[in-house]
């Protein structure tokens, strides 16, 4: 069964739904949403087990796609455009490939991810977060230091810390770490058995030029599933394109949204 997604919405006009990545929340995309809000009604849901949304024991891409479909139906959105980053991009692809009526959405824009499996880079983050003694912690800075001490390399400490909240007299995580740990293999993969072999609607793939998530060898599979896809690489951007190059990302999204709206059936 779908879970009810918490969301914020800004602006007025055709609907755009932005799906965040693993360890994120809708609010991570507030800057992009407010920039688009002059022309669109932008929805920023939290994925299941993230942010303020309902927790569940499982989080496959098929399930997360159904969550988004339920949100679209509940809010009465007509042919929304679905934008997804990383985990959210895979959710957007699963949504498009699961639709009986592809024209029920206006198109998908997938940011720095491909329909393929990736090595697990994230279980160490989950493990470190789970093993912190939040009950004994007295400040955010103390938790940040402990998290940094338990992780090595260029782990995104500040990004992970955005999941920390203070609840009454103690800290906790706004992220279902147990479910994330259990489902990590699914989250790193991409489902093979989706209802439809291709989605012929408008599809944009925006990749960070400094990221290795969308490689040249990713393109044949992208075009197999999304024959109308356009791939655009954004210079001087890594995986977090919206943080590295927000203006270039906005230009790409605005141009694509205008083109996709022009192709919409009257």
């Amino acid at each position: 069964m779908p879970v009810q997604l918490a969301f914020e919405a800004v602006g007025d006009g055709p609907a755009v739904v932005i799906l965040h990545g693993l360890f994120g929340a809708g609010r991570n995309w507030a800057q992009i949403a407010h920039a688009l809000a002059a022309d669109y009604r932008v929805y920023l849901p939290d994925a299941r087990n993230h942010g303020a949304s309902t927790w569940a024991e499982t989080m496959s891409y098929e399930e997360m796609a159904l969550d988004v479909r339920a949100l679209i139906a509940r809010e009465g959105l007509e042919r929304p455009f679905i934008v997804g980053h990383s985990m959210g991009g895979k959710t957007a692809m699963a949504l498009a490939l699961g639709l009986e009526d592809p024209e029920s959405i206006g198109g998908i824009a997938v940011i720095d991810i491909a329909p393929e499996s990736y090595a697990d880079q994230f279980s160490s983050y989950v493990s470190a977060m789970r093993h912190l003694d939040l009950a004994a912690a007295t400040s955010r800075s103390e938790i940040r230091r402990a998290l940094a001490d338990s992780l090595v390399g260029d782990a995104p400490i500040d990004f992970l810390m955005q999941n920390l909240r203070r609840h009454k007299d103690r800290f906790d995580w706004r992220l279902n770490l147990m479910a994330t740990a259990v489902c990590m293999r699914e989250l790193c993969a991409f489902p093979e058995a989706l209802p439809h072999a291709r989605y012929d609607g408008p599809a944009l793939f925006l990749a960070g030029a400094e990221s290795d998530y969308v490689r040249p060898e990713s393109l044949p599979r992208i075009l197999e599933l999304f024959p109308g896809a356009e791939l655009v690489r954004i210079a001087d951007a890594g995986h977090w394109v919206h943080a590295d190059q927000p203006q270039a990302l906005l230009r790409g999204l605005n141009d694509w949204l205008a083109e996709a709206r022009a192709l919409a059936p009257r």
Side-chain angles (χ1 to χ4, degrees):
M1 292 292 292
V3 303
Q4 185 161 327
L5 302 181
F7 70 91
E8 296 181 359
V10 295
D12 189 31
V16 175
V17 181
I18 301 181
L19 309 177
H20 64 80
L22 185 62
F23 301 109
R27 65 178 183 272
N28 298 142
W29 286 81
Q31 179 184 0
I32 300 297
H34 282 281
L36 292 172
D39 300 300
Y40 300 95
R41 177 72 170 168
V42 186
Y43 292 78
L44 296 175
D46 295 337
R48 63 166 58 194
N49 294 322
H50 289 68
S53 283
T54 305
W55 284 17
E57 293 182 357
T58 57
M59 50 192 306
S60 70
Y61 286 110
E62 295 94 329
E63 290 171 320
M64 290 190 284
L66 289 175
D67 295 343
V68 178
R69 288 177 66 175
L71 171 64
I72 291 169
R74 190 168 64 251
E75 294 300 309
L77 307 185
E78 295 185 10
R79 303 191 76 250
F81 298 96
I82 312 298
V83 178
H85 172 246
S86 198
M87 180 186 78
K90 286 188 174 182
T91 302
M93 290 187 278
L95 170 66
L97 295 168
L99 293 171
E100 293 300 327
D101 176 16
E103 291 190 354
S104 63
I105 62 172
I108 63 169
V110 178
I111 300 172
D112 210 59
I113 204 73
E116 59 191 50
S117 296
Y118 294 84
D120 178 5
Q121 306 174 43
F122 310 110
S123 287
S124 62
Y125 303 167
V126 176
S127 179
M129 294 165 77
R130 288 179 66 191
H131 286 92
L132 290 182
D133 186 2
L134 296 186
T138 59
S139 69
R140 292 182 64 90
S141 59
E142 177 186 343
I143 296 169
R144 190 191 187 285
R145 284 194 300 272
L147 187 60
D149 288 344
S150 64
L151 292 170
V152 296
D154 56 352
I157 304 298
D158 290 331
F159 178 61
L160 298 176
M161 284 290 294
Q162 291 180 24
N163 288 286
L164 187 71
R165 66 177 177 180
R166 187 153 203 158
H167 182 67
K168 296 183 179 178
D169 60 346
R170 60 165 291 170
F171 292 96
D172 62 14
W173 296 111
R174 291 166 55 91
L175 180 68
N176 187 340
L177 293 170
M178 178 63 76
T180 303
V182 170
C183 299
M184 188 60 73
R185 180 175 295 182
E186 282 183 285
L187 294 171
C188 290
F190 187 75
E192 294 293 332
L194 289 165
H196 303 288
R198 54 190 275 174
Y199 170 75
D200 291 311
L204 173 67
F205 284 74
L206 285 163
E210 306 302 319
S211 170
D212 60 359
Y213 275 78
V214 182
R215 303 162 298 154
E217 52 266 40
S218 303
L219 190 55
R221 181 61 172 161
I222 290 173
L223 292 175
E224 178 184 352
L225 296 175
F226 306 97
E230 176 187 6
L231 173 61
V232 175
R233 296 195 181 273
I234 296 182
D236 300 317
H239 184 56
W240 282 275
V241 183
H242 55 299
D244 294 339
Q245 293 294 335
Q247 294 307 313
L249 176 64
L250 274 168
R251 286 193 296 272
L253 285 175
N254 271 315
D255 290 348
W256 175 76
L257 286 166
E259 292 174 6
R261 288 175 65 183
L263 294 173
R266 303 296 180 182

